[in-house]
Amino acid sequence: PYAAPEVLLGQDYHGPGIDIWSVGVILYETVTGKLPFEAEDLKEQRKKILKGKYCVPPFITCELKKILKKMSDP
């Protein structure tokens, strides 16, 4: 659940960008108590990660929304 889309697509590892993605997932999970890409199985979770779409709960501040957006941008 912490893998960046590039990793799931089998692309070469290019350090910081992929690591920042994973830290963004951890930050989201720490603040919300759940993963941004929850699914019934790994196949569905992979699809969600590749789409990059996740719900931001209303209690998340604008500043944190901006940080999460930057961390998930390619």
Side-chain angles (χ1 to χ4, degrees):
Y2 305 97
E6 298 88 343
V7 173
L8 296 177
L9 293 172
Q11 297 174 0
D12 290 337
Y13 176 81
H14 293 288
I18 289 174
D19 293 342
I20 289 170
W21 168 278
S22 297
V23 171
V25 172
I26 294 167
L27 176 60
Y28 182 98
E29 182 180 22
T30 301
V31 172
T32 66
K34 63 180 189 172
L35 291 167
F37 307 104
E38 290 186 336
E40 292 291 322
D41 58 47
L42 290 176
K43 185 177 179 179
E44 186 62 32
Q45 188 174 51
R46 183 179 191 276
K47 286 181 188 178
K48 288 183 175 189
I49 291 170
L50 292 174
K51 286 183 182 179
K53 303 279 187 198
Y54 57 93
C55 294
V56 180
F59 61 84
I60 300 292
T61 64
C62 289
E63 292 83 7
L64 184 52
K65 286 180 192 177
K66 288 177 188 177
I67 290 169
L68 290 169
K69 172 104 172 87
K70 286 183 180 182
M71 295 178 96
S72 65
D73 284 343

